[in-house]
Amino acid sequence: MNPPPPTAGDSTDFGDRTEDDGSGNPASKKKKKEWKDRKPTVLANTKITKVLESGLPLEDADVAAGYGMQLGCIIRESMSINTKHLRSEANAHLVENCLQKLHRRYTFLAEYNTLSTLNKVNRLAITKMSNALSSWRSRVKNKIEKGESWEKIKKGELMLDEAEFEKFNAEMASDEAKAWTEWGQQMRVLNLGKHHLGSGGYRGKIPVWEKEDAELARLEKPNPWLKITDLHVRNFVWARYYLDKETMEFVTDDDDVKKFEEKLVRNLPAVHCVHIT
């Protein structure tokens, strides 16, 4: 049996979508806009135009500023918190997947725009992603040790599901995990000094160092760190000192850092140079 034809007050529109303004007057109904297919959500791809010798993106600055956070996001969306030893052969498929996601997010210079683990951008990215995984595990572990409930933890860890959390929680309570924690605490005691990089790391500190170097040059004072020709060693030492604005001398309160620096800088000629990257 066929349905009766629609009457003037019938709400069936047979393709002509209408909406009622609540008055009950059929004449007051307005025709709705036609449905349009939504555009597919596409992950934004941004360009990296300059990288440091280490492989760390430097420009465009606003893009490079969020690089580390993006690597952390890739880790948390790509694997379980229970993943260990990211760079092991057993996890090669995870590394490849992460690099694919990285290159969907960013377009690098042609020489680095490959998935090869041999190019320096990918090599550093893998290191940073491995560190991000460790940081994620440590962050959640610290919350557990503070006695936070799953309900509270999940509010700040949106990528963590309850089943994986329960497995992780059980692991952290094991004797093996406690032994590793004790070993890690012993290793931290052996670290050389404390750096003054801040949340931006070396990327955020380099522009500050360039300004300091320019000011020292203006005052005709030598910059002791520019004597160190190895960039990685230079940045490592510089990060553990700070510039006293009154004396314009680099100072540190750590005797071990002083001894290490003296071995590197002693008897080297003074150098003036504002280009440190």
Side-chain angles (χ1 to χ4, degrees), residues 14-260:
F14 292 96
D16 294 326
R17 304 177 63 250
T18 61
E19 60 181 1
D20 198 333
D21 64 359
S23 66
N25 183 0
S28 66
K29 288 186 177 182
K30 299 178 181 179
K31 190 171 183 178
K32 288 186 177 180
K33 294 181 179 179
E34 295 181 1
W35 285 110
K36 292 184 178 180
D37 292 334
R38 292 184 62 183
K39 294 182 179 179
T41 302
V42 179
L43 185 65
N45 182 283
T46 49
K47 292 184 177 181
I48 299 293
T49 58
K50 182 179 180 181
V51 300
L52 296 176
E53 184 62 30
S54 65
L56 182 68
L58 185 63
E59 295 178 358
D60 294 343
D62 56 337
V63 174
Y67 186 71
M69 290 185 290
Q70 287 295 318
L71 294 177
C73 289
I74 289 173
I75 284 295
R76 292 189 293 275
E77 72 183 20
S78 303
M79 62 192 67
S80 164
I81 193 173
N82 296 297
T83 303
K84 298 179 183 178
H85 313 302
L86 180 60
R87 287 178 284 190
S88 68
E89 185 176 348
N91 288 325
H93 64 291
L94 290 177
V95 171
E96 182 179 0
N97 183 39
C98 288
L99 289 178
Q100 289 174 347
K101 291 184 176 183
L102 175 65
H103 284 266
R104 284 199 290 268
R105 279 171 165 80
Y106 298 99
T107 297
F108 298 92
L109 299 171
E111 59 188 304
Y112 309 126
N113 206 29
T114 72
L115 296 180
S116 170
T117 57
L118 299 179
N119 85 55
K120 63 183 181 182
V121 168
N122 289 347
R123 195 163 57 242
L124 180 65
I126 293 170
T127 298
K128 285 185 167 293
M129 286 189 284
S130 180
N131 292 341
L133 175 59
S134 296
S135 296
W136 184 26
R137 289 172 57 88
S138 296
R139 185 171 64 248
V140 175
K141 175 176 176 288
N142 290 338
K143 291 179 179 181
I144 292 172
E145 291 177 344
K146 290 178 182 177
E148 294 185 14
S149 65
W150 158 246
E151 287 70 23
K152 183 174 181 180
I153 291 175
K154 71 178 180 180
K155 291 180 180 179
E157 303 293 341
L158 301 181
M159 297 291 186
L160 182 61
D161 66 57
E162 189 171 5
E164 293 294 336
F165 169 76
E166 293 298 341
K167 182 178 178 181
F168 180 76
N169 192 11
E171 179 194 346
M172 291 299 101
S174 69
D175 291 339
E176 181 182 2
K178 291 177 181 178
W180 273 107
T181 297
E182 183 179 353
W183 177 84
Q185 291 171 346
Q186 294 172 354
M187 291 300 101
R188 280 193 289 275
V189 174
L190 302 178
N191 281 345
L192 181 63
K194 295 182 179 179
H195 65 71
H196 302 280
L197 294 173
S199 60
Y202 286 108
R203 177 198 54 77
K205 204 66 175 181
I206 284 175
V208 176
W209 289 343
E210 288 178 334
K211 291 179 181 179
E212 291 177 351
D213 187 49
E215 180 63 13
L216 289 170
R218 186 185 69 80
L219 296 173
E220 298 184 350
K221 286 179 170 284
N223 185 336
W225 315 132
L226 301 181
K227 301 175 185 179
I228 305 174
T229 57
D230 186 297
L231 182 62
H232 297 291
V233 175
R234 178 200 302 171
N235 289 348
F236 177 85
V237 176
W238 199 337
R240 283 153 178 77
Y241 279 77
Y242 62 90
L243 184 65
D244 187 317
K245 300 299 183 180
E246 294 185 2
T247 64
M248 294 305 289
E249 299 286 341
F250 289 100
V251 295
T252 181
D253 301 321
D254 194 297
D255 290 336
D256 290 332
V257 171
K258 290 179 181 178
K259 293 176 183 178
F260 180 72

